[in-house]
Amino acid sequence: MTQPPLPGVLADVAPILDHWGYLAVAGLVFIEDFGVPVPGETILIVAAVYAGAGRINIVLVAVIAFFAAVLGDNVGYAIGRFGGHRLVERYGRYVLLTPARVEKAEGFFTRHGGKVVTVARFIEGLRQANGIIAGMAGMSWRRFLIFNALGAALWVGAWVTFGGLAGAHLNTLYPAIQRYELYVLTAMAVLLLFLIGRHLYHRRHRDAKRQPDVGGHGGGR
């Protein structure tokens, strides 16, 4: 039976997987994990859906994605450890990675490094910068490797399981996705705007607290 096309952004990425197969999974997951803005997570989900639909082997997808994710983050760790501060000072402003933000992130990693490395896989933006910041923060490589591998296993396992189940029931899910896609996208857009608004509100509130009182404490000389 002919499989229906994949919906939304998955359909845009599907030709890459059709042409390059497992190499697309390995390459895109690998380079996304040291900061390059490519759809590594998306290609993993597409590959898992393909595997669930019987087009490729789901075990190979999981194994390849796991090792590519671990290796990619280790490249990021090496970049952060051996050249991170110089790169931030020279190029960080172009990606809003200012020295002040890096210093704050390094302090956070120092206090919660292992937990951050593990959960960073599931957070867009942090997934790509995770290894670089860990290296800049001076986290030991062995500790980083352990928590990085744990995070990669959880991340790959979650998406492969989800994508495999979706692929196995694609003929049933696809009409429902088409029917409710607009409503889901609208709800996601509203949620995103709410989160952005809340973040801006809290940031303005924090900035207002930090500003000195210039009206009542001038003093005389």
Side-chain angles (χ1 to χ4, degrees), residues 37-53:
V38 297
E41 184 173 73
T42 304
I43 203 71
L44 171 60
I45 298 170
V46 174
V49 172
Y50 268 40

Side-chain angles (χ1 to χ4, degrees), residues 46-150:
V46 174
V49 172
Y50 268 40
R55 302 179 186 181
I56 54 178
N57 187 292
I58 198 164
V59 175
L60 277 178
V61 170
V63 171
I64 288 170
F66 171 77
F67 282 106
V70 172
L71 290 173
D73 258 1
N74 274 273
V75 171
Y77 177 88
I79 291 172
R81 191 64 180 265
F82 300 111
H85 286 94
R86 292 194 301 274
L87 292 174
V88 166
E89 290 171 4
R90 182 171 297 182
Y91 303 111
R93 63 184 182 275
Y94 299 114
V95 292
L96 303 179
L97 197 60
T98 63
R101 288 182 178 178
V102 170
E103 184 179 356
K104 189 180 298 183
E106 287 178 314
F108 189 73
F109 261 73
T110 301
R111 295 190 301 272
H112 310 286
K115 291 177 286 187
V116 175
V117 170
T118 300
V119 303
R121 292 281 176 191
F122 297 90
I123 303 172
E124 187 66 30
L126 189 55
R127 181 172 64 254
Q128 293 85 349
N130 169 38
I132 295 174
I133 296 174
M136 293 175 66
M139 180 185 291
S140 74
W141 175 76
R142 183 174 299 177
R143 185 164 183 254
F144 172 77
L145 179 62
I146 292 170
F147 285 105
N148 179 39
L150 175 60

Side-chain angles (χ1 to χ4, degrees), residues 176-189:
I177 291 171
Q178 283 188 311
R179 189 175 303 120
Y180 299 110
E181 185 175 21
L182 178 60
Y183 300 107
V184 172
L185 291 176
T186 301
M188 290 176 63

